[in-house]
Amino acid sequence: MRTYQNHSRTDYISLSEEIAAIYLYLDLEKLRFQETLSYEVEVSEEVDSFLISIPSMLLQPYIENALKHGLLHKKDNRKLIIRFGMEGTDILNCEVLDNGVGRIKSMEINRIRNPGHRSFASSATKRRLDLLNNNRKRDITEEIEDLYDEDGNATGTRVNLHIPWEDL
């Protein structure tokens, strides 16, 4: 809790600080999921996590959405992968990949469990991204992809964030 409080007081943090916070957060979530969650955080060799700074609190909502909407609705074999890599020399790519039930199934489940519920997370994340981009030379972009097997069954969701960082 204190880590995220400290991060919320600053505009940017180093990627290494963000990765440390991700590990803390996922270790706590793993307890909540009663050890049915496995996760990996992969950082490619070309990423200097001490040099690169990113907006604070940028990645956590995407990771939370993967857990809350994709993986929570599975009974076991919950897997989350977070990858960091470079696109060229000046764009950090962050991939959040889960093997959850998918966005469509999650919406159906939520609609049945709580008919009056209105989704907030996706729109709030999008608004935050828009606000962050107001003060940047180049926009942070997101791509969200629903994943399916060859039979058309949902196999998870992939989010890619492209974060230009040379303008910080």
Side-chain angles (χ1 to χ4, degrees):
M1 203 61 150
R2 175 139 343 255
T3 298
Y4 283 112
Q5 277 182 328
N6 290 337
H7 288 182
S8 70
R9 292 184 182 131
T10 184
D11 292 336
Y12 290 89
I13 60 171
S14 71
L15 181 58
S16 62
E17 291 174 293
E18 180 69 6
I19 291 170
I22 288 169
Y23 275 112
L24 287 172
Y25 176 66
L26 290 176
D27 283 344
L28 287 172
E29 288 293 340
K30 192 171 183 176
L31 291 172
R32 183 170 74 104
F33 280 93
Q34 301 172 346
E35 301 296 323
T36 62
L37 170 68
S38 65
Y39 68 86
E40 298 173 23
V41 178
E42 302 171 6
V43 182
S44 69
E45 290 182 12
E46 73 263 10
V47 173
D48 186 338
S49 63
F50 293 96
L51 175 65
I52 296 172
S53 293
I54 63 171
S56 62
M57 305 298 293
L58 176 63
L59 303 179
Q60 192 276 340
Y62 292 97
I63 296 168
E64 182 177 341
N65 280 347
L67 294 169
K68 184 176 180 184
H69 299 291
L71 297 171
L72 181 66
H73 301 301
K74 286 185 75 171
K75 299 282 186 229
D76 57 8
N77 188 32
R78 296 169 170 138
K79 179 87 172 176
L80 180 65
I81 300 171
I82 302 163
R83 293 186 181 115
F84 297 96
M86 295 301 298
E87 295 176 19
T89 59
D90 62 351
I91 296 178
L92 175 69
N93 183 62
C94 175
E95 177 184 44
V96 179
L97 176 66
D98 70 69
N99 71 340
V101 298
R103 293 187 302 164
I104 293 170
K105 181 73 171 175
S106 177
M107 284 188 276
E108 290 171 7
I109 292 169
N110 289 332
R111 191 173 22 247
I112 291 167
R113 288 185 179 169
N114 188 0
H117 176 72
R118 297 180 73 194
S119 178
F120 173 76
S122 295
S123 61
T125 303
K126 179 69 176 135
R127 280 195 306 271
R128 175 135 192 280
L129 204 54
D130 290 342
L131 286 171
L132 286 171
N133 285 333
N134 278 337
N135 297 320
R136 297 180 60 86
K137 293 177 187 169
R138 295 184 301 154
D139 286 353
I140 298 169
T141 60
E142 72 174 4
E143 298 168 1
I144 302 174
E145 178 185 4
D146 297 307
L147 305 174
Y148 299 94
D149 64 16
E150 56 278 349
D151 296 324
N153 299 310
T155 59
T157 305
R158 174 185 293 126
V159 175
N160 272 306
L161 290 170
H162 307 278
I163 310 165
W165 64 274
E166 100 286 357
D167 59 348
L168 303 179

